[in-house]
Amino acid sequence: MKLLRWGPPGAEKPGLMDDAGQVRDLSDFVTDIDGHALSLEGLAKLSAMDMHTLPILHGQHRIGPCIARPLNFICIGLNYADHAAETGAAIPKEPIVFLKSLGAFTGPYDEVKIPRGSKKTDWEVELGVVIGTKASYVPEHEAMNHVAGYCIVNDISEREFQAERGGTWDKGKGCDTFGPVGPWMVTKDEIPDPQNLDMWLEVDGQRMQTGNTRTMIFNVSQLVSYVSHFITLHPGDIISTGTPPGVGMGMKPEPVFLKPGQTMRLGIQGLGEQKQTTVPA
């Protein structure tokens, strides 16, 4: 299933994308694409429905983040060997974990705000893992039992704020609109191998990132297990699993960064596409 949320910010309703690419309204069956809907019981109930009996949405509707605002929006840094190489960083011995502000959580087609004073706003296409079942101290061999599905995340980052302004990465990662999520969450039964998904990102039509999840240093099972030993994962939480090479800070001979008035388009095999325009904050 491809689960999504549609409607204005703060008033989104649940929906799904059918086999013909039509958005259908799920409001009569679930209140939101939240922890309840993403549980084993919730997903079983939804998969048992005949989607063709659901009302089709006609006209233009905003597509919001594909899940309700999570309790934890977790990101993994430097998790692709080829990305670590382009930044000159050593291969991490353990996953680098940080939290993205929930103020960053936004829709896949919403505008991205370039922060005031920003000089180095950058892009990062990433595979998002959506948790379906509470996970705490989960062994690696059981980790996938806690995954509901997958989505696209654009882990937008202000590199000067992140690396040159002291402290942790958080203030370069958590700016408003710095975490577009969606357009939909694809349930894990439709993605048999999350470690072999092509991914890409363009800026103003120019290909910047081309990669595949096979070059992850720590795979999905390892990440879910690892994070659960430090942070209890709740249904609806997201783990954004890192980015392949081609980010702006790694461009040669000079880094390239975003400015207002540009367009990012990005996608992951089987998970759809996002598109954002940058505007001044």
Side-chain angles (χ1 to χ4, degrees):
M1 288 182 293
K2 295 180 174 66
L3 301 176
L4 55 81
R5 298 166 72 245
W6 58 276
E12 292 93 347
K13 295 182 179 181
L16 61 77
M17 181 74 70
D18 70 15
D19 298 335
Q22 301 175 109
V23 176
R24 292 180 179 264
D25 186 7
L26 273 174
S27 299
D28 289 340
F29 290 88
V30 293
T31 57
D32 207 343
I33 307 301
D34 55 12
H36 177 73
L38 296 169
S39 68
L40 291 174
E41 297 79 9
L43 290 178
K45 176 183 174 182
L46 291 175
S47 65
M49 292 186 318
D50 180 359
M51 68 173 64
H52 301 100
T53 64
L54 299 172
I56 297 173
L57 294 186
H58 297 286
Q60 295 294 318
H61 297 274
R62 169 184 174 266
I63 301 298
C66 56
I67 58 174
R69 179 178 284 196
L71 185 64
N72 294 299
F73 193 171
I74 298 161
C75 296
I76 308 299
L78 295 174
N79 192 37
Y80 281 68
D82 36 10
H83 171 55
E86 77 171 340
T87 65
I91 299 297
K93 294 179 179 171
E94 295 187 44
I96 297 171
V97 178
F98 62 93
L99 296 174
K100 207 167 181 75
S101 164
L102 295 182
F105 188 70
T106 192
Y109 310 117
D110 293 343
E111 293 177 336
V112 167
K113 297 178 182 178
I114 304 294
R116 296 176 188 178
S118 169
K119 300 174 184 176
K120 298 181 179 181
T121 297
D122 206 346
W123 54 83
E124 295 189 11
V125 58
E126 304 200 1
L127 173 67
V129 178
V130 180
I131 301 300
T133 303
K134 185 177 179 180
S136 180
Y137 298 103
V138 173
E140 189 177 320
H141 70 276
E142 295 180 3
M144 296 306 292
N145 296 334
H146 298 266
V147 173
Y150 306 97
C151 63
I152 302 170
V153 177
N154 191 353
D155 177 22
I156 300 163
S157 310
E158 214 297 345
R159 303 301 187 186
E160 184 189 26
F161 297 179
Q162 176 186 353
E164 302 173 37
R165 297 284 294 273
T168 64
W169 289 7
D170 294 351
K171 59 179 173 278
K173 293 284 193 172
C175 302
D176 290 350
T177 74
F178 268 27
V181 172
W184 43 73
M185 188 208 79
V186 180
T187 50
K188 68 179 178 182
D189 59 295
E190 296 192 12
I191 306 293
D193 185 4
Q195 303 307 147
N196 188 24
L197 301 176
D198 292 330
M199 51 205 309
W200 55 271
L201 182 144
E202 297 175 352
V203 177
D204 292 338
Q206 180 179 354
R207 179 63 65 93
M208 298 297 189
Q209 291 187 272
T210 302
N212 187 287
T213 56
R214 74 171 70 93
T215 67
M216 280 186 186
I217 299 165
F218 305 102
N219 66 29
V220 170
S221 296
Q222 291 171 315
L223 292 174
V224 172
S225 174
Y226 184 87
V227 171
S228 79
H229 282 73
F230 301 93
I231 300 168
T232 296
L233 297 168
H234 295 269
D237 283 355
I238 304 172
I239 302 176
S240 194
T241 56
T243 199
V247 298
M249 69 179 293
M251 293 293 166
K252 302 291 188 292
E254 296 290 335
V256 176
F257 297 111
L258 294 165
K259 57 185 182 295
Q262 295 189 284
T263 299
M264 290 177 283
R265 194 167 70 91
L266 55 149
I268 298 179
Q269 181 181 351
L271 302 181
E273 296 184 9
Q274 295 187 358
K275 183 177 181 180
Q276 299 105 27
T277 300
T278 56
V279 299

